[in-house]
Amino acid sequence: MNNTIEGKDVIKGDRREIDGLDARIIELLGLRARVSARIQRNRISAGGPRTVLAREAEVLDRYQNGLGATGTPIALHVLKLCRGAGPVDTNRPRAAGAMGEAL
């Protein structure tokens, strides 16, 4: 079989795997946002602040330790997503290029 065709098939398979991983990441981010919203509601109803900066610093550290310098901006986007953006609907269609805006 032609190496070019085999290479294209491998790439297609890898891209399908990436698409599946992206779907799981999006699902997990939606779940994280819902749990974060629940924590915020409970904290506010108990008289506390909506956000706790010390806790956010822990999250930033965890992402930086796990992913290196790239982890910090990822964590900042995750925190922004989960900081009261309201319910996250992972089933709604998005315009092309909106991924960065959604985070």
Side-chain angles (χ1 to χ4, degrees):
M1 189 170 229
N2 185 329
N3 283 340
T4 304
I5 293 172
E6 288 176 3
K8 287 181 181 179
D9 288 342
V10 169
I11 290 170
K12 283 182 183 180
D14 288 345
R15 285 183 176 157
R16 278 192 299 273
E17 186 174 357
I18 290 284
D19 292 345
L21 291 167
D22 285 342
R24 289 169 53 193
I25 291 167
I26 291 166
E27 179 182 348
L28 288 171
L29 286 170
L31 176 59
R32 189 192 192 288
R34 289 187 296 277
V35 171
S36 180
R38 189 170 62 231
I39 291 168
Q40 289 176 33
R41 282 191 307 271
N42 289 331
R43 192 182 313 114
I44 290 168
S45 70
R50 186 167 70 89
T51 59
V52 176
L53 296 181
R55 173 66 180 151
E56 290 194 356
E58 291 174 10
V59 173
L60 289 167
D61 287 343
R62 185 177 322 116
Y63 276 73
Q64 185 174 24
N65 290 335
L67 299 172
T70 305
T72 301
I74 292 171
L76 288 170
H77 285 294
V78 169
L79 289 168
K80 181 179 178 182
L81 172 71
C82 298
R83 217 185 259 136
V88 175
D89 182 0
T90 58
N91 295 316
R92 72 179 172 88
R94 282 191 298 273
M99 177 72 170
E101 297 168 15
L103 293 177

